[in-house]
Amino acid sequence: MSIARINGFADMFEPESTAFTFMESQCRKIFPAYGFKEVRLPVLEYTDLFARSIGTETDVVQKEMYTFPDSKGKPTSLRPEATAGMMRAYIAASLHAREQVSRLYTFGPMFRHERPQKGRMRQFHQIDCELLGSSSPVADADVVSLLVHFVSSLGIGGLTLRMNSLGCASCRQTYRQALISHFEKHEAELCEDCRRRLHANPLRVLDCKKDRELPCMLDAPRLLDYNCPDCLEHYETVTGLLKDAGIAYVQDDRLVRGLDYYCRTTFELQSDAIGAQTAVAGGGRYDGLVKQLGGPDIPGIGFACGMERLALLLGERQLQRPDFFVVSLDPSCTAFAFKLAQSLRHAGLSGETGYGSSGMKSAMRQAGKSGARFAVIVGTDELSRGACAVKNMDQGTQEEVPADALATYIANKD
Ligand code: HAM
């Protein structure tokens, strides 16, 4: 009997695996251009780390973590996100003592026990970016512009950048009271979760997926109206810098994010082209988090992109088209064709070779299926001249090319 795959955990083949490789390589190119360095983190952490950072009243901590005891009975959880682990690692390595500003990124699998659907998995992948050690609004603008630069480098357009400011702890205290008084008047309309959270963490009510469209949600007090002058000035500087740099955004008064560690600037990148799961990336400032986890009082800001959702937007686009498909038309040509394919790869080109000799029709079918730009055909006539026939698979044109000029010929054609 075969063993089933766990629901919400995917095997990944082409084209998604190629999309992932492409995203990772773009990430490794663009993030260092902004001074970010790669960090690799464990996937399993003590549960306490997530409870103390993401917040005990959040859906992630209350309902979605994969938690089990270690051999001594201490609860451990598969990471539902990377920020908490990054903060733990930052504190443990005392990075703050070595550099004033740390710019860190990582990518890999995260785990949330949600109901799987298109763009929502139980094991999913994030590209995560964190900037620690600066409370300047320029740092916020730098991080948001990195996100926008990275996503546009993938060739993905049509996304909306939504922004809001949660204010600092003292603005939120006043806002919290205003929210409680507002929702107390509508308590009967709220779902069971929201009624329970109303007094413990009213911001989570605004984030409720079930109650989203209730009229009392739509006319709830606006966060920006409760930002203190300092927080407002910070936010206006961030948005001003983005506007000046030509980065468009939409002010979203209801953007509160689903995790408790945020303050001041928050943002999401959304798409309406991938079904119900619209958030492709999300992030914000989290100035109290390092301290809350036992480290020094270091401010921070970051974001994470959902790689499965970005891959959906990349779609079936052929990201790494092979350059060639080499085929031998006669057993006497096989060794020559094999050597030719090797020489092309050593010259930096990519492609496959047929494993037996075949007729012209079948050769063209195989070359077409491989997606190659050129079919390289070796028959007995070409072999006698030390050459091959090269067919441009897009234009249908064919030319004879000497074997020793083949790599240059393919490399120079678009
Ligand atoms: P988040 O909004 O919970 O933020 O997740 C970031 C992104 O991960 C989402 O926008 C979405 O694209 C993707 N994602 C989340 N859950 C799933 C899922 N079940 N299946 C597929 N994709 C998913 C965070 O995780 C924060 N740690 C971001 C951050 C970093 N804030 C500051 N630094």
Side-chain angles (χ1 to χ4, degrees), residues 81-83 112 114 119-121 124 126 128-130 257 259 261-262 279-284 286 302-306 309:
E81 54 108 57
T83 310
R112 294 185 193 177
E114 296 187 83
R120 190 166 71 196
M121 301 297 296
F124 62 100
Q126 284 184 343
D128 181 84
C129 156
E130 315 290 355
R257 310 275 301 126
L259 316 166
Y261 47 63
Y262 292 113
V280 167
Y286 46 79
F303 67 79
C305 303
R309 295 184 193 173

Side-chain angles (χ1 to χ4, degrees), residues 39 86 89-104 132:
V39 182
M86 191 77 99
Y90 172 83
I91 297 167
S94 298
L95 281 192
H96 57 92
R98 280 198 257 154
E99 52 194 18
Q100 200 191 339
V101 177
S102 298
R103 296 178 181 84
L104 311 168
L132 289 133

